Amino acid sequence: MQPASHSPRPVTHYGVEMLGTWPTKLYGLAVEGEPDPVLLQAARMFAEATLPADSQGRAAFVIAHRARPANFLLIYWWSSDVDLSLAYFRSPLDQPTAITPMPAFATGCVWELALAQNERVAWVRHLLTGEPDLEAYLNEVPPGEVR
């Protein structure tokens, strides 16, 4: 089997938005440039429809990823102090709003998981050690690219 081409992908941080009751970090990943704005809007809508009704003082993050084979949408939320939940979707590159669920057990590609790892580290640093500080977590921005 031939290994896939692997190079860094740029991360775009679109800030923190309230999606329902959830303070949500919104990120874009792309093979190059940024994801289609239509995909970003769909990500917001799917996140609002997917996230539980009550954030209970926790946070979420959303990744809109324009990859080579398709667009991917990952909606993560801290479902407890130590548990991270995921809803994972995809759409064709030329139809960013034709979103369908990923197969069961899918968890993300290496770039998406690198961004999730950054969020895990920030969550532990700001919420699980010392005085919990949700604002500090929400203000932490990932690196400009992931590998």
Side-chain angles (χ1 to χ4, degrees), residues 19-20 22 24 26 41-52 60-62 73-75 77 89:
L19 299 179
W22 290 82
T24 305
L26 183 60
Q41 188 57 35
R44 289 177 179 98
M45 290 173 42
F46 264 74
E48 280 204 70
T50 301
L51 291 167
F61 61 97
V62 172
L73 170 58
L74 296 88
I75 303 164
W77 65 97
F89 304 92

Side-chain angles (χ1 to χ4, degrees), residues 58-82:
R58 293 186 297 272
F61 61 97
V62 172
I63 302 170
H65 185 186
R66 184 172 49 87
R68 283 189 179 91
N71 294 304
F72 297 94
L73 170 58
L74 296 88
I75 303 164
Y76 287 98
W77 65 97
W78 291 100
S79 50
S80 79
D81 290 345
V82 296

Side-chain angles (χ1 to χ4, degrees), residues 55-127:
S55 69
Q56 299 180 1
R58 293 186 297 272
F61 61 97
V62 172
I63 302 170
H65 185 186
R66 184 172 49 87
R68 283 189 179 91
N71 294 304
F72 297 94
L73 170 58
L74 296 88
I75 303 164
Y76 287 98
W77 65 97
W78 291 100
S79 50
S80 79
D81 290 345
V82 296
D83 293 309
L84 185 62
S85 294
L86 167 65
Y88 192 14
F89 304 92
R90 69 178 292 150
S91 67
L93 289 172
D94 62 345
Q95 296 177 309
T97 60
I99 296 170
T100 59
M102 287 292 287
F105 309 111
T107 59
C109 74
V110 295
W111 296 279
E112 295 156 356
L113 293 174
L115 193 46
Q117 169 63 11
N118 184 81
E119 291 301 306
R120 179 209 166 273
V121 168
W123 186 262
V124 169
R125 178 176 28 255
H126 297 297
L127 279 296

Side-chain angles (χ1 to χ4, degrees), residues 1-6:
M1 183 162 89
Q2 190 73 8
S5 174
H6 184 78

